[in-house]
Amino acid sequence: MNWLLVAVGGAVGAPLRYLTDRFVRRYPGAGLPYVFPWGTFAVNAAGSLLLGALTGAAVSAPAYALLGTGLCGALTTYSTFSYETLRLAETGRAFLAGANVVASVLMGLGAVFLGAEVAGGAGFGG
């Protein structure tokens, strides 16, 4: 039955990712063109934070299937991150491509640790 929970979570996460990206692309900032992939960055940050919180809270296996594997799995996107980084590099924006890699990895790790810590399960610092 966990496969159904994963499917339901994914059915929510995938459109949420799409809508978040569309929203962020629509409002990149006053007079600024959309260049940096902020939409993908935002969903990956949110998904990492939620997954860390689920891990820290030690939720049940069905809840993890629904929210962790399903929702977070469909909300976050490594393939789009990779594609957008490649597109930045191919269009002569090597600095932004490198910044996207470094910022995304640091943000993802930081968000998952923060989520776990806030949920009370990480036990960092002794």
Side-chain angles (χ1 to χ4, degrees), residues 35-38 84-85 88-89 92-103:
V35 177
F36 193 81
W38 288 112
E84 290 172 340
T85 301
L88 286 170
R93 297 178 172 111
F95 176 77
L96 286 178
N100 190 35
V101 170
V102 171

Side-chain angles (χ1 to χ4, degrees), residues 28-34:
L32 298 174
Y34 184 85

Side-chain angles (χ1 to χ4, degrees), residues 49-107:
L49 184 66
L50 178 58
L51 195 59
L54 292 171
T55 301
V59 298
S60 67
Y64 192 84
L66 175 69
L67 299 172
T69 306
L71 179 69
C72 291
L75 177 65
T76 61
T77 173
Y78 187 76
S79 58
T80 302
F81 154 73
S82 300
Y83 170 74
E84 290 172 340
T85 301
L86 175 66
R87 292 292 302 147
L88 286 170
E90 285 180 340
T91 57
R93 297 178 172 111
F95 176 77
L96 286 178
N100 190 35
V101 170
V102 171
S104 293
V105 169
L106 291 177
M107 171 279 309

Side-chain angles (χ1 to χ4, degrees), residues 21-50:
D21 187 59
R22 295 297 99 162
F23 178 80
V24 171
R25 284 178 186 264
R26 198 168 175 188
Y27 303 103
L32 298 174
Y34 184 85
V35 177
F36 193 81
W38 288 112
T40 301
F41 190 86
V43 295
N44 285 340
S48 296
L49 184 66
L50 178 58

